Amino acid sequence: MLEYKVQAHRVDAHGALATTKAAQIELDTDLGGRMDAFNPAELLLAAVAACMIKGIERVSPMLDFQLTGVLVELHAVRQDSPPKIVSIDYVLTVETGESDQRLELLHKNVRKYGTISNTVAAATALNGVIRRQA
């Protein structure tokens, strides 16, 4: 089994810093919000997007799928009581000349083998579409 480790520490009342390996991310923990850092909900969406892009990088060579770019756009809905994300919708846009059937095959593989997307989908509604950008 793989294991992951991240550490996060409070910098001040406006933010925190998360680290892993040789990387770091500034976190928006300010009650008023910050424009220059990801808040926890945005980090969750970024994790789902990274999972999908990494999945595409992993399965594209196996499927001999040709592409030149990928864009993932996500939208989450949060309820107040109890506070939680109740749904995440996404649009996965792939720059490719592949057929619609091959595009759907890519989508199916990304959804089936994504560690983060599978984890999130078990906890909330995760729905999306794949489309082409020629």
Side-chain angles (χ1 to χ4, degrees):
M1 298 189 96
L2 291 175
E3 295 183 17
Y4 307 93
K5 292 184 180 184
V6 171
Q7 290 185 341
H9 70 273
R10 179 183 187 267
V11 174
D12 56 28
H14 306 290
L17 190 66
T19 59
T20 187
K21 302 173 284 196
Q24 62 183 26
I25 299 174
E26 282 190 60
L27 307 176
D28 172 10
T29 56
D30 189 312
L31 293 178
R34 290 176 49 180
M35 296 302 292
D36 64 339
F38 284 76
N39 68 35
E42 293 160 343
L43 281 167
L44 176 67
L45 296 180
V48 172
C51 176
M52 290 180 172
I53 294 170
K54 188 166 186 166
I56 287 171
E57 296 296 343
R58 182 177 54 251
V59 301
S60 291
M62 292 186 285
L63 298 175
D64 193 28
F65 191 96
Q66 304 300 312
L67 61 93
T68 56
V70 176
L71 172 68
V72 185
E73 298 169 279
L74 300 108
H75 175 259
V77 175
R78 177 190 180 271
Q79 76 177 23
D80 285 334
S81 183
K84 67 178 183 175
I85 301 293
V86 294
S87 67
I88 298 173
D89 296 313
Y90 67 87
V91 176
L92 183 56
T93 304
V94 181
E95 290 181 49
T96 185
E98 298 277 359
S99 70
D100 289 345
Q101 293 80 13
R102 300 245 317 137
L103 196 59
E104 282 304 322
L105 177 63
L106 180 69
H107 191 207
K108 179 180 175 183
N109 276 272
V110 167
R111 284 297 304 258
K112 185 174 182 179
Y113 297 110
T115 301
I116 303 306
S117 59
N118 283 339
T119 301
V120 169
T124 193
L126 177 63
N127 297 298
V129 296
I130 192 166
R131 67 180 185 194
R132 125 187 20 269
Q133 179 178 343

